[in-house]
Amino acid sequence: MEPGTMNAGSGVDRGILRGAIPDASPLPVAVVAGVGNIIRYVNSAFCTLAGQSENSVLGVAFNEAVPAGSDCLALLDRVYRTSQAEAHIGNEKSGHSL
């Protein structure tokens, strides 16, 4: 086991939690990388929202996996340029948050 993976005193492996928490989340989660915002991870809630399977979106540019005109695309570009974390809540009125 790598140093620093155990939470002192709790015996919890943080590597397991990093996958378990987003996997179990009812909120859509996607991890993207690089200038092209290539999808590296999605949870099942994201797949449901996007109407696609995990296999069909992994390795694909985020803008190809979400509806055109999505507010998420501008947010991702901003995060990439500034390195500052942001969250996208979505448009509650539309019922579609991508």
Side-chain angles (χ1 to χ4, degrees):
M1 181 171 297
E2 295 178 25
T5 60
M6 295 296 283
N7 186 352
S10 73
V12 175
D13 182 344
R14 288 185 298 195
I16 291 171
L17 290 178
R18 276 191 288 263
I21 292 171
D23 285 346
S25 175
L27 301 173
V29 175
V31 174
V32 299
V35 134
N37 297 317
I38 305 302
I39 298 174
R40 301 294 181 211
Y41 165 84
V42 292
N43 68 356
S44 61
F46 180 91
C47 293
T48 299
L49 185 62
Q52 298 187 52
S53 71
E54 180 179 353
N55 289 336
S56 68
V57 296
L58 291 179
V60 172
F62 190 82
N63 67 339
E64 294 177 22
V66 298
S70 171
D71 294 338
C72 291
L73 301 176
L75 181 140
L76 283 173
D77 288 338
R78 220 173 23 255
V79 168
Y80 185 77
R81 281 192 324 275
T82 66
S83 298
Q84 298 295 312
E86 293 191 37
H88 178 66
I89 306 302
N91 183 349
E92 293 180 18
K93 293 179 184 174
S94 73
H96 191 23
S97 63
L98 276 183

